[in-house]
Amino acid sequence: MVILGILCLVISYAISINMETGFYVINSRFLSNNFLFTCFSGAFASILVLIATEVYRFIETKKSIEQFLFSQLASIHGQLQIANANITNILNSKGLVPDNLLSCLSNTIKQITPSLRSLDYNPFFSYSRSRAIKRILTRLFSTEIIQLDSLANDCIYLPMAICTDKSDILNKGESNTVITSTSPNTQRVLSVLNNEIIRLTSLILIDLTEINTACDNDFHWNDVEKKLSDIPIPDTSLSAFFLKHDSSK
């Protein structure tokens, strides 16, 4: 397309020079210098508009990819923070451990990582902003997405640990099968998963900070991070459920 545009420009320029100098006069019944100049200059103008439109669309697509990448990583970061806060609270309070404690985190990761894998970021020119985004995507594609998917799959081991602890209690002839964070298998799985959550939170935080810096603070990450950190942990206990519906009557 660019080559064709340049060719039309050169031909238009040559015809205009020919019209000024009268080197070769085309003035037949069907063709003239003016007609050829109009055709080729019009073709060049149309190609120029088309190229400008495609360049603008490319720039807008690149920006939307950057915004999408930031929003998806911010969502994962927020879910990792919530999961860490929930696990830490349960471990410290020696509270009950629900089977679905990490289901939201697991589902979020499984929804986001396929869309991250599909990102195609190839700018025309290499500059500091594009190089930073490419570095982040390289890290994501090579290691971080794999580790996130692994964490999402490992969340299944929490209900397995809870079932194992319940089975061990029943095998001992005890009737009380309440599972807390002090139950051996459950406690161990929670600790292992929480360590992985903390490690991945740090990696995603680095990515978000670099994206925001590369994009000249377009995403105001410092403000977003504060809002994510200030989100209160919801009370998912049965008593909180009853209290919510009793107060609405």
Short mmCIF file of all heavy atoms in Angstrom, two decimals, residues 147-207:
data_model
loop_
_atom_site.label_atom_id
_atom_site.label_comp_id
_atom_site.label_asym_id
_atom_site.label_seq_id
_atom_site.Cartn_x
_atom_site.Cartn_y
_atom_site.Cartn_z
N GLN A 147 2.61 -19.96 36.04
CA GLN A 147 2.55 -20.05 37.50
C GLN A 147 1.17 -19.68 38.02
O GLN A 147 0.70 -20.28 39.00
CB GLN A 147 3.62 -19.14 38.10
CG GLN A 147 5.05 -19.59 37.80
CD GLN A 147 6.09 -18.56 38.20
OE1 GLN A 147 5.77 -17.53 38.79
NE2 GLN A 147 7.34 -18.85 37.88
N LEU A 148 0.52 -18.72 37.40
CA LEU A 148 -0.85 -18.36 37.79
C LEU A 148 -1.81 -19.51 37.54
O LEU A 148 -2.65 -19.83 38.38
CB LEU A 148 -1.30 -17.11 37.03
CG LEU A 148 -0.71 -15.77 37.49
CD1 LEU A 148 -1.00 -14.68 36.47
CD2 LEU A 148 -1.26 -15.37 38.86
N ASP A 149 -1.69 -20.14 36.37
CA ASP A 149 -2.55 -21.29 36.07
C ASP A 149 -2.28 -22.43 37.04
O ASP A 149 -3.21 -23.14 37.46
CB ASP A 149 -2.30 -21.77 34.63
CG ASP A 149 -2.97 -20.88 33.61
OD1 ASP A 149 -3.95 -20.19 33.98
OD2 ASP A 149 -2.52 -20.84 32.45
N SER A 150 -1.02 -22.61 37.40
CA SER A 150 -0.67 -23.66 38.36
C SER A 150 -1.30 -23.38 39.72
O SER A 150 -1.83 -24.29 40.38
CB SER A 150 0.85 -23.75 38.50
OG SER A 150 1.22 -24.71 39.46
N LEU A 151 -1.28 -22.11 40.15
CA LEU A 151 -1.93 -21.75 41.42
C LEU A 151 -3.42 -22.00 41.35
O LEU A 151 -4.01 -22.53 42.31
CB LEU A 151 -1.65 -20.28 41.73
CG LEU A 151 -2.40 -19.69 42.94
CD1 LEU A 151 -2.00 -20.41 44.22
CD2 LEU A 151 -2.15 -18.19 43.06
N ALA A 152 -4.06 -21.62 40.24
CA ALA A 152 -5.50 -21.83 40.09
C ALA A 152 -5.85 -23.31 40.19
O ALA A 152 -6.85 -23.69 40.81
CB ALA A 152 -5.98 -21.25 38.76
N ASN A 153 -5.03 -24.15 39.58
CA ASN A 153 -5.28 -25.60 39.64
C ASN A 153 -4.99 -26.16 41.03
O ASN A 153 -5.67 -27.08 41.49
CB ASN A 153 -4.41 -26.32 38.61
CG ASN A 153 -4.82 -26.00 37.18
OD1 ASN A 153 -5.99 -25.75 36.91
ND2 ASN A 153 -3.87 -26.00 36.27
N ASP A 154 -4.00 -25.59 41.72
CA ASP A 154 -3.64 -26.08 43.05
C ASP A 154 -4.68 -25.75 44.11
O ASP A 154 -4.68 -26.35 45.19
CB ASP A 154 -2.28 -25.50 43.48
CG ASP A 154 -1.13 -26.15 42.74
OD1 ASP A 154 -1.33 -27.20 42.10
OD2 ASP A 154 -0.01 -25.59 42.77
N CYS A 155 -5.57 -24.79 43.80
CA CYS A 155 -6.60 -24.42 44.77
C CYS A 155 -7.53 -25.60 45.08
O CYS A 155 -8.19 -25.63 46.13
CB CYS A 155 -7.42 -23.23 44.26
SG CYS A 155 -6.52 -21.66 44.28
N ILE A 156 -7.58 -26.58 44.18
CA ILE A 156 -8.43 -27.76 44.40
C ILE A 156 -7.95 -28.59 45.58
O ILE A 156 -8.70 -29.37 46.17
CB ILE A 156 -8.48 -28.62 43.12
CG1 ILE A 156 -9.59 -29.67 43.21
CG2 ILE A 156 -7.14 -29.28 42.87
CD1 ILE A 156 -10.96 -29.13 43.33
N TYR A 157 -6.67 -28.41 45.94
CA TYR A 157 -6.12 -29.20 47.04
C TYR A 157 -6.64 -28.77 48.41
O TYR A 157 -6.53 -29.53 49.37
CB TYR A 157 -4.59 -29.16 47.03
CG TYR A 157 -4.00 -29.92 45.88
CD1 TYR A 157 -3.51 -29.27 44.75
CD2 TYR A 157 -3.96 -31.32 45.89
CE1 TYR A 157 -2.98 -29.97 43.68
CE2 TYR A 157 -3.43 -32.04 44.83
CZ TYR A 157 -2.95 -31.35 43.73
OH TYR A 157 -2.44 -32.06 42.66
N LEU A 158 -7.21 -27.56 48.49
CA LEU A 158 -7.78 -27.13 49.78
C LEU A 158 -9.01 -27.97 50.15
O LEU A 158 -9.04 -28.53 51.25
CB LEU A 158 -8.12 -25.64 49.75
CG LEU A 158 -8.74 -25.09 51.04
CD1 LEU A 158 -7.82 -25.32 52.23
CD2 LEU A 158 -9.08 -23.61 50.89
N PRO A 159 -10.03 -28.11 49.29
CA PRO A 159 -11.14 -29.00 49.65
C PRO A 159 -10.70 -30.45 49.82
O PRO A 159 -11.28 -31.18 50.62
CB PRO A 159 -12.13 -28.84 48.49
CG PRO A 159 -11.38 -28.18 47.39
CD PRO A 159 -10.31 -27.38 48.03
N MET A 160 -9.66 -30.87 49.08
CA MET A 160 -9.14 -32.23 49.25
C MET A 160 -8.53 -32.39 50.65
O MET A 160 -8.72 -33.43 51.31
CB MET A 160 -8.10 -32.54 48.18
CG MET A 160 -8.68 -32.70 46.78
SD MET A 160 -7.39 -32.90 45.50
CE MET A 160 -6.59 -34.39 46.08
N ALA A 161 -7.80 -31.38 51.10
CA ALA A 161 -7.20 -31.43 52.44
C ALA A 161 -8.28 -31.44 53.52
O ALA A 161 -8.16 -32.16 54.53
CB ALA A 161 -6.25 -30.24 52.62
N ILE A 162 -9.33 -30.64 53.32
CA ILE A 162 -10.43 -30.61 54.28
C ILE A 162 -11.10 -31.98 54.38
O ILE A 162 -11.37 -32.48 55.48
CB ILE A 162 -11.44 -29.51 53.89
CG1 ILE A 162 -10.81 -28.12 54.02
CG2 ILE A 162 -12.70 -29.60 54.76
CD1 ILE A 162 -11.67 -27.00 53.50
N CYS A 163 -11.35 -32.60 53.22
CA CYS A 163 -11.96 -33.94 53.21
C CYS A 163 -11.05 -34.97 53.87
O CYS A 163 -11.52 -35.87 54.60
CB CYS A 163 -12.28 -34.36 51.78
SG CYS A 163 -13.64 -33.44 51.03
N THR A 164 -9.75 -34.85 53.63
CA THR A 164 -8.79 -35.78 54.24
C THR A 164 -8.78 -35.65 55.75
O THR A 164 -8.76 -36.65 56.48
CB THR A 164 -7.38 -35.54 53.68
OG1 THR A 164 -7.40 -35.69 52.25
CG2 THR A 164 -6.38 -36.52 54.28
N ASP A 165 -8.80 -34.41 56.24
CA ASP A 165 -8.82 -34.19 57.69
C ASP A 165 -10.11 -34.73 58.31
O ASP A 165 -10.10 -35.32 59.40
CB ASP A 165 -8.66 -32.71 58.01
CG ASP A 165 -7.22 -32.24 57.85
OD1 ASP A 165 -6.30 -33.06 58.06
OD2 ASP A 165 -7.00 -31.06 57.50
N LYS A 166 -11.24 -34.53 57.61
CA LYS A 166 -12.51 -35.07 58.11
C LYS A 166 -12.46 -36.60 58.16
O LYS A 166 -12.91 -37.23 59.13
CB LYS A 166 -13.66 -34.62 57.22
CG LYS A 166 -14.04 -33.15 57.36
CD LYS A 166 -15.22 -32.81 56.45
CE LYS A 166 -15.62 -31.35 56.62
NZ LYS A 166 -16.76 -30.98 55.74
N SER A 167 -11.88 -37.20 57.11
CA SER A 167 -11.78 -38.66 57.07
C SER A 167 -10.89 -39.18 58.19
O SER A 167 -11.20 -40.20 58.83
CB SER A 167 -11.24 -39.09 55.71
OG SER A 167 -11.07 -40.49 55.64
N ASP A 168 -9.79 -38.49 58.45
CA ASP A 168 -8.88 -38.93 59.52
C ASP A 168 -9.57 -38.85 60.87
O ASP A 168 -9.37 -39.72 61.74
CB ASP A 168 -7.63 -38.04 59.52
CG ASP A 168 -6.74 -38.30 58.31
OD1 ASP A 168 -6.93 -39.34 57.65
OD2 ASP A 168 -5.86 -37.45 58.01
N ILE A 169 -10.37 -37.79 61.08
CA ILE A 169 -11.09 -37.66 62.35
C ILE A 169 -12.09 -38.79 62.53
O ILE A 169 -12.20 -39.40 63.61
CB ILE A 169 -11.80 -36.29 62.41
CG1 ILE A 169 -10.77 -35.15 62.50
CG2 ILE A 169 -12.74 -36.22 63.61
CD1 ILE A 169 -11.37 -33.77 62.38
N LEU A 170 -12.82 -39.11 61.46
CA LEU A 170 -13.80 -40.20 61.53
C LEU A 170 -13.13 -41.54 61.74
O LEU A 170 -13.65 -42.41 62.46
CB LEU A 170 -14.64 -40.22 60.25
CG LEU A 170 -15.61 -39.03 60.05
CD1 LEU A 170 -16.24 -39.10 58.67
CD2 LEU A 170 -16.68 -39.03 61.13
N ASN A 171 -11.97 -41.74 61.13
CA ASN A 171 -11.25 -43.00 61.30
C ASN A 171 -10.76 -43.20 62.73
O ASN A 171 -10.55 -44.34 63.18
CB ASN A 171 -10.06 -43.07 60.34
CG ASN A 171 -10.50 -43.25 58.89
OD1 ASN A 171 -11.58 -43.78 58.63
ND2 ASN A 171 -9.66 -42.82 57.96
N LYS A 172 -10.58 -42.10 63.44
CA LYS A 172 -10.17 -42.17 64.84
C LYS A 172 -11.35 -42.42 65.77
O LYS A 172 -11.18 -42.52 66.99
CB LYS A 172 -9.46 -40.87 65.25
CG LYS A 172 -8.11 -40.66 64.55
CD LYS A 172 -7.49 -39.33 64.97
CE LYS A 172 -6.18 -39.08 64.25
NZ LYS A 172 -5.59 -37.76 64.61
N GLY A 173 -12.56 -42.46 65.20
CA GLY A 173 -13.74 -42.70 65.99
C GLY A 173 -14.32 -41.46 66.62
O GLY A 173 -15.22 -41.56 67.46
N GLU A 174 -13.85 -40.28 66.22
CA GLU A 174 -14.37 -39.04 66.77
C GLU A 174 -15.55 -38.57 65.92
O GLU A 174 -15.58 -38.75 64.70
CB GLU A 174 -13.29 -37.97 66.79
CG GLU A 174 -12.08 -38.36 67.66
CD GLU A 174 -10.97 -37.31 67.61
OE1 GLU A 174 -11.26 -36.20 67.09
OE2 GLU A 174 -9.86 -37.59 68.07
N SER A 175 -16.52 -37.96 66.56
CA SER A 175 -17.72 -37.52 65.86
C SER A 175 -17.66 -36.06 65.42
O SER A 175 -18.38 -35.64 64.52
CB SER A 175 -18.96 -37.72 66.75
OG SER A 175 -18.81 -36.98 67.96
N ASN A 176 -16.80 -35.27 66.05
CA ASN A 176 -16.69 -33.85 65.73
C ASN A 176 -15.74 -33.67 64.53
O ASN A 176 -14.53 -33.81 64.66
CB ASN A 176 -16.16 -33.07 66.93
CG ASN A 176 -16.13 -31.57 66.68
OD1 ASN A 176 -16.65 -31.08 65.67
ND2 ASN A 176 -15.52 -30.83 67.60
N THR A 177 -16.32 -33.39 63.37
CA THR A 177 -15.51 -33.26 62.15
C THR A 177 -15.36 -31.81 61.70
O THR A 177 -15.21 -31.53 60.50
CB THR A 177 -16.14 -34.08 61.01
OG1 THR A 177 -17.47 -33.61 60.79
CG2 THR A 177 -16.14 -35.55 61.33
N VAL A 178 -15.42 -30.89 62.64
CA VAL A 178 -15.24 -29.48 62.30
C VAL A 178 -13.78 -29.24 61.92
O VAL A 178 -12.87 -29.57 62.68
CB VAL A 178 -15.64 -28.57 63.49
CG1 VAL A 178 -15.31 -27.12 63.17
CG2 VAL A 178 -17.11 -28.73 63.80
N ILE A 179 -13.56 -28.66 60.74
CA ILE A 179 -12.21 -28.42 60.24
C ILE A 179 -11.86 -26.95 60.38
O ILE A 179 -12.58 -26.08 59.89
CB ILE A 179 -12.08 -28.86 58.77
CG1 ILE A 179 -12.44 -30.33 58.61
CG2 ILE A 179 -10.67 -28.60 58.26
CD1 ILE A 179 -11.60 -31.27 59.43
N THR A 180 -10.76 -26.70 61.07
CA THR A 180 -10.25 -25.34 61.23
C THR A 180 -8.86 -25.25 60.61
O THR A 180 -8.33 -26.23 60.08
CB THR A 180 -10.19 -24.96 62.71
OG1 THR A 180 -9.17 -25.75 63.36
CG2 THR A 180 -11.53 -25.18 63.41
N SER A 181 -8.27 -24.06 60.72
CA SER A 181 -6.93 -23.87 60.16
C SER A 181 -5.85 -24.59 60.95
O SER A 181 -4.70 -24.63 60.54
CB SER A 181 -6.61 -22.37 60.10
OG SER A 181 -6.64 -21.80 61.40
N THR A 182 -6.23 -25.19 62.09
CA THR A 182 -5.26 -25.98 62.86
C THR A 182 -5.25 -27.45 62.44
O THR A 182 -4.37 -28.20 62.85
CB THR A 182 -5.57 -25.88 64.36
OG1 THR A 182 -6.90 -26.39 64.60
CG2 THR A 182 -5.49 -24.44 64.84
N SER A 183 -6.22 -27.87 61.64
CA SER A 183 -6.24 -29.24 61.15
C SER A 183 -5.01 -29.46 60.27
O SER A 183 -4.72 -28.62 59.40
CB SER A 183 -7.52 -29.50 60.36
OG SER A 183 -8.66 -29.25 61.17
N PRO A 184 -4.27 -30.55 60.46
CA PRO A 184 -2.93 -30.68 59.88
C PRO A 184 -2.85 -30.51 58.37
O PRO A 184 -2.05 -29.70 57.87
CB PRO A 184 -2.49 -32.09 60.32
CG PRO A 184 -3.74 -32.79 60.72
CD PRO A 184 -4.65 -31.74 61.23
N ASN A 185 -3.63 -31.28 57.62
CA ASN A 185 -3.56 -31.19 56.16
C ASN A 185 -4.05 -29.84 55.65
O ASN A 185 -3.46 -29.24 54.74
CB ASN A 185 -4.38 -32.31 55.52
CG ASN A 185 -3.77 -33.68 55.78
OD1 ASN A 185 -2.69 -34.00 55.29
ND2 ASN A 185 -4.47 -34.49 56.55
N THR A 186 -5.13 -29.37 56.25
CA THR A 186 -5.69 -28.08 55.84
C THR A 186 -4.72 -26.95 56.13
O THR A 186 -4.51 -26.06 55.29
CB THR A 186 -7.02 -27.83 56.57
OG1 THR A 186 -7.93 -28.89 56.29
CG2 THR A 186 -7.63 -26.51 56.15
N GLN A 187 -4.12 -26.98 57.29
CA GLN A 187 -3.16 -25.93 57.65
C GLN A 187 -1.96 -25.92 56.70
O GLN A 187 -1.50 -24.87 56.26
CB GLN A 187 -2.68 -26.14 59.08
CG GLN A 187 -1.72 -25.05 59.57
CD GLN A 187 -1.21 -25.35 60.97
OE1 GLN A 187 -0.77 -26.46 61.26
NE2 GLN A 187 -1.28 -24.36 61.84
N ARG A 188 -1.48 -27.11 56.36
CA ARG A 188 -0.31 -27.20 55.49
C ARG A 188 -0.63 -26.68 54.09
O ARG A 188 0.16 -25.92 53.50
CB ARG A 188 0.17 -28.64 55.41
CG ARG A 188 1.47 -28.81 54.62
CD ARG A 188 1.95 -30.24 54.69
NE ARG A 188 3.19 -30.40 53.94
CZ ARG A 188 3.84 -31.56 53.79
NH1 ARG A 188 3.34 -32.67 54.35
NH2 ARG A 188 4.96 -31.62 53.10
N VAL A 189 -1.79 -27.06 53.56
CA VAL A 189 -2.18 -26.59 52.22
C VAL A 189 -2.37 -25.08 52.22
O VAL A 189 -1.94 -24.38 51.29
CB VAL A 189 -3.46 -27.31 51.75
CG1 VAL A 189 -4.01 -26.64 50.49
CG2 VAL A 189 -3.18 -28.78 51.47
N LEU A 190 -3.01 -24.55 53.25
CA LEU A 190 -3.21 -23.10 53.34
C LEU A 190 -1.87 -22.36 53.36
O LEU A 190 -1.71 -21.34 52.69
CB LEU A 190 -4.02 -22.75 54.59
CG LEU A 190 -5.52 -23.00 54.54
CD1 LEU A 190 -6.15 -22.73 55.90
CD2 LEU A 190 -6.19 -22.13 53.47
N SER A 191 -0.93 -22.88 54.10
CA SER A 191 0.39 -22.23 54.20
C SER A 191 1.12 -22.26 52.86
O SER A 191 1.70 -21.26 52.42
CB SER A 191 1.23 -22.92 55.28
OG SER A 191 0.63 -22.79 56.55
N VAL A 192 1.08 -23.43 52.19
CA VAL A 192 1.75 -23.56 50.90
C VAL A 192 1.13 -22.63 49.86
O VAL A 192 1.83 -21.90 49.15
CB VAL A 192 1.70 -25.03 50.41
CG1 VAL A 192 2.19 -25.13 48.97
CG2 VAL A 192 2.55 -25.92 51.31
N LEU A 193 -0.20 -22.62 49.79
CA LEU A 193 -0.89 -21.77 48.81
C LEU A 193 -0.69 -20.30 49.12
O LEU A 193 -0.53 -19.48 48.21
CB LEU A 193 -2.38 -22.11 48.78
CG LEU A 193 -2.76 -23.48 48.21
CD1 LEU A 193 -4.26 -23.70 48.31
CD2 LEU A 193 -2.30 -23.61 46.77
N ASN A 194 -0.68 -19.95 50.40
CA ASN A 194 -0.50 -18.54 50.76
C ASN A 194 0.89 -18.05 50.39
O ASN A 194 1.05 -16.91 49.94
CB ASN A 194 -0.75 -18.35 52.26
CG ASN A 194 -1.04 -16.90 52.61
OD1 ASN A 194 -1.67 -16.19 51.82
ND2 ASN A 194 -0.58 -16.46 53.76
N ASN A 195 1.90 -18.89 50.56
CA ASN A 195 3.26 -18.51 50.16
C ASN A 195 3.33 -18.27 48.65
O ASN A 195 3.98 -17.32 48.19
CB ASN A 195 4.25 -19.60 50.56
CG ASN A 195 4.49 -19.66 52.05
OD1 ASN A 195 4.29 -18.67 52.76
ND2 ASN A 195 4.90 -20.81 52.54
N GLU A 196 2.65 -19.11 47.89
CA GLU A 196 2.62 -18.94 46.44
C GLU A 196 1.84 -17.68 46.06
O GLU A 196 2.23 -16.96 45.13
CB GLU A 196 2.00 -20.17 45.78
CG GLU A 196 2.07 -20.17 44.28
CD GLU A 196 3.48 -20.28 43.73
OE1 GLU A 196 4.42 -20.49 44.53
OE2 GLU A 196 3.65 -20.14 42.51
N ILE A 197 0.76 -17.41 46.77
CA ILE A 197 -0.03 -16.20 46.51
C ILE A 197 0.80 -14.95 46.78
O ILE A 197 0.79 -14.00 45.98
CB ILE A 197 -1.30 -16.20 47.38
CG1 ILE A 197 -2.29 -17.25 46.85
CG2 ILE A 197 -1.95 -14.82 47.42
CD1 ILE A 197 -3.47 -17.50 47.76
N ILE A 198 1.54 -14.94 47.88
CA ILE A 198 2.38 -13.78 48.22
C ILE A 198 3.46 -13.58 47.16
O ILE A 198 3.74 -12.44 46.74
CB ILE A 198 3.01 -13.98 49.61
CG1 ILE A 198 1.93 -13.94 50.69
CG2 ILE A 198 4.07 -12.92 49.88
CD1 ILE A 198 2.42 -14.33 52.07
N ARG A 199 4.06 -14.68 46.70
CA ARG A 199 5.12 -14.58 45.69
C ARG A 199 4.58 -14.03 44.38
O ARG A 199 5.18 -13.12 43.77
CB ARG A 199 5.76 -15.95 45.47
CG ARG A 199 7.00 -15.93 44.58
CD ARG A 199 7.53 -17.33 44.38
NE ARG A 199 6.60 -18.14 43.60
CZ ARG A 199 6.53 -18.09 42.27
NH1 ARG A 199 7.31 -17.26 41.58
NH2 ARG A 199 5.67 -18.85 41.62
N LEU A 200 3.43 -14.53 43.94
CA LEU A 200 2.85 -14.05 42.68
C LEU A 200 2.32 -12.62 42.80
O LEU A 200 2.36 -11.87 41.82
CB LEU A 200 1.73 -14.99 42.25
CG LEU A 200 2.19 -16.34 41.68
CD1 LEU A 200 0.99 -17.27 41.46
CD2 LEU A 200 2.94 -16.14 40.37
N THR A 201 1.85 -12.26 43.98
CA THR A 201 1.41 -10.87 44.19
C THR A 201 2.57 -9.91 43.95
O THR A 201 2.39 -8.85 43.33
CB THR A 201 0.86 -10.69 45.61
OG1 THR A 201 -0.23 -11.58 45.83
CG2 THR A 201 0.38 -9.26 45.83
N SER A 202 3.76 -10.27 44.43
CA SER A 202 4.94 -9.43 44.23
C SER A 202 5.30 -9.31 42.76
O SER A 202 5.65 -8.22 42.27
CB SER A 202 6.13 -10.00 45.01
OG SER A 202 5.85 -10.05 46.40
N LEU A 203 5.20 -10.42 42.01
CA LEU A 203 5.52 -10.40 40.59
C LEU A 203 4.53 -9.53 39.81
O LEU A 203 4.93 -8.73 38.96
CB LEU A 203 5.52 -11.82 40.02
CG LEU A 203 6.60 -12.78 40.56
CD1 LEU A 203 6.45 -14.16 39.92
CD2 LEU A 203 7.99 -12.23 40.29
N ILE A 204 3.25 -9.70 40.09
CA ILE A 204 2.23 -8.91 39.39
C ILE A 204 2.36 -7.43 39.76
O ILE A 204 2.14 -6.55 38.91
CB ILE A 204 0.81 -9.42 39.73
CG1 ILE A 204 0.65 -10.88 39.30
CG2 ILE A 204 -0.24 -8.56 39.05
CD1 ILE A 204 0.86 -11.13 37.83
N LEU A 205 2.74 -7.15 40.99
CA LEU A 205 2.94 -5.77 41.41
C LEU A 205 4.06 -5.11 40.60
O LEU A 205 3.95 -3.94 40.20
CB LEU A 205 3.27 -5.71 42.91
CG LEU A 205 3.56 -4.33 43.48
CD1 LEU A 205 2.38 -3.39 43.28
CD2 LEU A 205 3.92 -4.43 44.97
N ILE A 206 5.12 -5.85 40.34
CA ILE A 206 6.22 -5.33 39.52
C ILE A 206 5.72 -5.00 38.11
O ILE A 206 6.03 -3.95 37.55
CB ILE A 206 7.38 -6.34 39.47
CG1 ILE A 206 8.03 -6.48 40.86
CG2 ILE A 206 8.43 -5.92 38.44
CD1 ILE A 206 9.07 -7.59 40.94
N ASP A 207 4.93 -5.92 37.54
CA ASP A 207 4.38 -5.69 36.20
C ASP A 207 3.51 -4.44 36.16
O ASP A 207 3.64 -3.61 35.24
CB ASP A 207 3.55 -6.90 35.76
CG ASP A 207 4.40 -8.15 35.56
OD1 ASP A 207 5.61 -8.01 35.34
OD2 ASP A 207 3.83 -9.25 35.63
#
